[in-house]
DNA sequence: TTGACATAAACTCACTTTGAGCATAATCCT
DNA sequence: AGGATTATGCTCAAAGTGAGTTTATGTCAA
């Protein structure tokens, strides 16, 4: 760096993590029979990264992208062994939210449930525990921790914290950390490890997906992103189920409702819906007016107001 | 994207926002007499983006970088008109925290107080209000809002929210939004606007700096990053002054202390310091042991624990 | 028609976390 | 010794959260 005006050429590629929720299941857009995330070269014709990706996604899905945010930029060598051609590849990844999945048609991209790739990340009450395989993961990680006596204590602590074992709480945001830990412990085929824990993907696409899930789970707590994925009007339970799908946890019903309406993010449409059984629910819509004001929630700093 | 295996070549560049705090003033490393952030081409010799930047920074500052995180990746065309050469430039920016500033020596990079670039971002009690010029900014923005009758209400709302005017609270995290708004209103020389509001920088470096400040201010609330900037042992007041410098606000003393010690991030060294006047303060050190466990704070989701 | 079921929506209550300020302790300076 | 000055401890009300309970309003099946 500094004053050198040397090389620095690279091949630039965009990679998209596009998420939608259908039937209370979060899905991600894929190509190659679910083995890869959609990607392609960054063309000079694009006005900007964001705009180029937005255009492309909308033409592919037929739906507007409500939310689009840069995730991370990787250079191969970060992990992917890559080629030794001297020319580096730079991958710029994005997270986007789509309202509905496109009707399946010829040449349309496929959508896969994201818990197919990370079964252990689904900890909702209904979720099949054997599918998640937390027990098997815990056993493998324990063996890994014990295999190096001088690192044992440190590794055990890390495993317990990351996976919420031995009295620690499960933290739904640690998606990437869990994946990286399993990668280190060679439980991930992409790292040359044993298969059996979720569907693998090409290259480091599964890691990018983990990054996207983690970002979305963190964001949903302080910014109203869930609405970008909901239809125009919805019941409170539908909203709750969507959030639960994304964070992979079951939520407390009345507290969830209280939280939503004290944020004043939604308003009644006046209609009700005759879902299945039970008392019909009121329908709500998102209030975009307050969007900006509530966009950023709040600090946790003890500010002195004098 | 999709199946095309076309061009996508670009020139890759790294840009660093390196922050330190000296004498209760946050500083950023610059080149070219404070008119630019340090940057340079991304060399193929670097193992990875992160590693390459870390090596470089440590050789330049003479101090290890405690914290280094990717900020954002820009392609020119996002704003910078750039050249029409067909070859795009991609800038990958990083935020790093350094413990002390390097002793000024020949060829050493300079450090500048970051409020020279954003005087209005310093709202600590001592801060000179005329330097910030919030009144002048508010006046200019009001004129800008009024200049388009059909956008007036919307613009006023946005101005009030972003700058904490007319009854709204100041939100210290909105550094980038404030800069972008002033940019739109042509108060920023980089956009061809009037000078007079903070020192300008080359290209969009001031915007990158704003992104870095915003990220750091947001992060400091839920992750113990302030310690990466502190010396090995410190008093609680020193810690508070450092945080105040970064967030640009004065904090409530006893509540700040309570918050710190209930997080159990620090421990007494047993020593005390004879600062200037007053009762000597106990010295503390950071407890790296709990680092991982406290690394990620907490959710705000109403989880059902059944 | 009626009652069993299912879901919605409102309300309660104990407990924890915050914002704000006051009280006391230990130094230095004059 | 007495005042100034900073550190540290304590209190208290208000707001926010976790966990339930109660009441309302519909469908479905006997």
């Amino acid at each position: 760096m500094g004053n050198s005006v040397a090389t620095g050429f690279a091949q630039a590629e965009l990679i998209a993590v596009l998420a939608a929720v259908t039937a209370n299941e979060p899905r991600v857009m894929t190509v190659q029979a679910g083995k890869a995330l959609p990607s392609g070269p960054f063309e000079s014709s694009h006005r900007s990264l964001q705009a180029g990706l937005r255009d492309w996604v909308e033409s592919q899905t037929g739906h507007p992208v409500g939310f689009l945010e840069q995730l991370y930029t990787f250079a191969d060598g970060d992990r992917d062994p890559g080629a030794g051609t001297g020319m580096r590849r730079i991958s710029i990844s994005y997270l986007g939210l789509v309202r509905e999945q496109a009707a399946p048609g010829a040449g349309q991209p496929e959508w896969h449930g994201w818990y197919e790739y990370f079964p252990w990340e689904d900890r909702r009450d209904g979720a099949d525990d054997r599918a998640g395989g937390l027990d098997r993961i815990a056993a493998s990680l324990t063996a890994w921790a014990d295999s190096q006596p001088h690192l044992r204590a440190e590794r055990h602590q890390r495993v317990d914290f990351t996976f919420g074992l031995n009295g620690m709480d499960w933290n739904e945001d640690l998606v990437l950390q869990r994946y990286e830990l399993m990668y280190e412990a060679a439980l991930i085929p992409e790292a040359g490890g044993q298969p059996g824990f979720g569907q693998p993907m090409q290259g480091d696409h599964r890691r990018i997906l983990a990054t996207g899930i983690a970002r979305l789970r963190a964001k949903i707590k302080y910014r109203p992103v869930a609405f970008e994925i909901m239809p125009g009007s919805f019941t409170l339970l539908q909203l709750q189920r969507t959030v639960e799908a994304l964070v992979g946890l079951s939520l407390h019903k009345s507290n969830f409702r209280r939280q939503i309406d004290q944020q004043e993010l939604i308003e009644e449409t006046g209609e009700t819906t005759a879902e299945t059984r039970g008392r019909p629910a009121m329908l709500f819509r998102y209030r975009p007016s307050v969007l900006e004001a509530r966009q950023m929630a709040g600090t946790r700093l003890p500010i002195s107001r004098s």
Side-chain angles (χ1 to χ4, degrees), chain A:
Chain A
M1 289 177 86
N3 295 326
S4 63
V5 191
T7 60
F9 292 103
Q11 193 177 350
E13 172 196 44
L14 297 177
I15 302 190
V17 175
L18 294 172
V21 176
T22 317
N24 296 335
E25 224 33 68
R27 291 170 211 277
V28 61
M29 202 177 106
T30 59
V31 295
Q32 295 177 37
K35 293 302 177 207
L37 295 171
S39 68
F42 171 52
E43 308 281 359
S44 351
S45 61
H46 294 150
R47 287 159 310 190
S48 71
L49 292 171
Q50 192 106 354
L53 190 60
R54 190 176 287 273
D55 291 349
W56 178 80
V57 169
E58 297 187 355
S59 73
Q60 289 290 305
T61 65
H63 290 282
V65 189
F67 173 91
L68 187 62
E69 176 181 275
Q70 203 179 90
L71 265 183
Y72 205 81
T73 300
F74 309 86
D76 54 16
D78 278 356
R79 169 168 291 170
D80 212 0
T85 60
M87 173 71 84
R88 306 296 297 260
R89 185 161 60 180
I90 290 180
S91 305
I92 306 168
S93 59
Y94 275 83
L95 167 67
L97 301 184
V98 198
R99 216 166 277 274
E100 303 172 38
Q101 78 177 69
Q108 289 287 11
E110 328 104 37
W111 294 82
H112 282 258
W114 77 27
Y115 296 126
E116 293 173 25
Y117 304 100
F118 305 101
W120 58 87
E121 292 294 342
D122 189 0
R123 313 221 33 189
R124 288 174 291 177
D125 285 347
D128 183 357
D129 223 11
R130 278 162 310 178
L134 238 199
D135 292 347
R136 267 169 57 232
I137 294 174
S140 300
L141 288 177
T142 302
W144 169 76
D146 291 340
S147 69
Q148 292 276 333
H150 62 294
L151 296 174
R152 217 187 83 99
E154 186 188 309
R155 283 185 172 180
H156 268 284
Q157 198 193 340
R158 185 161 157 227
V159 168
D160 290 349
F161 170 72
T162 311
F163 281 87
L165 301 172
N166 294 325
M168 309 238 53
D169 284 339
W170 173 264
N171 182 337
E172 70 281 1
D173 288 349
L174 303 181
V175 185
L176 183 60
Q177 286 87 335
R178 283 187 281 269
Y179 181 74
E180 300 270 355
L181 184 51
M182 292 174 69
Y183 192 102
E184 240 182 283
L187 304 184
I188 299 290
E190 287 96 320
Q194 304 289 336
F197 297 105
Q199 293 296 324
M201 286 181 124
Q202 189 187 88
D204 59 353
H205 285 200
R206 194 148 60 133
R207 184 165 59 124
I208 296 175
L209 176 54
T211 307
I213 297 174
R215 182 76 131 269
L216 185 51
R217 285 186 174 180
K219 201 128 206 163
I220 209 170
K221 271 147 220 153
Y222 61 96
R223 264 179 89 159
V225 284
F227 303 102
E228 309 281 356
I229 257 182
M230 301 294 297
S233 77
F234 47 84
T235 68
L236 289 175
L237 189 58
Q238 283 165 354
L239 178 62
Q240 183 182 342
R241 293 287 178 244
T242 300
V243 174
E244 288 175 336
L246 296 173
V247 298
L249 289 172
S250 295
L251 304 180
H252 189 277
K253 190 161 169 173
S254 26
N255 292 345
F256 177 80
R257 283 151 184 260
R258 176 174 58 192
Q259 201 178 76
I260 292 296
D261 80 31
Q262 80 189 22
Q263 295 192 93
E264 299 185 301
L265 288 169
I266 60 177
E267 62 193 4
E268 298 182 22
T269 65
E271 323 249 314
T272 62
T273 183
E275 280 276 276
T276 39
R277 289 183 289 258
R279 172 173 171 177
M282 292 192 284
L283 281 171
F284 292 84
R285 81 168 68 87
Y286 184 51
R287 283 177 61 190
S289 51
V290 278
L291 193 152
E292 185 149 40
R294 297 287 165 180
Q295 206 172 37
M296 312 232 69
T299 165
R300 292 284 155 191
L301 285 177
I303 295 171
S304 108
R305 315 177 197 279
S306 55

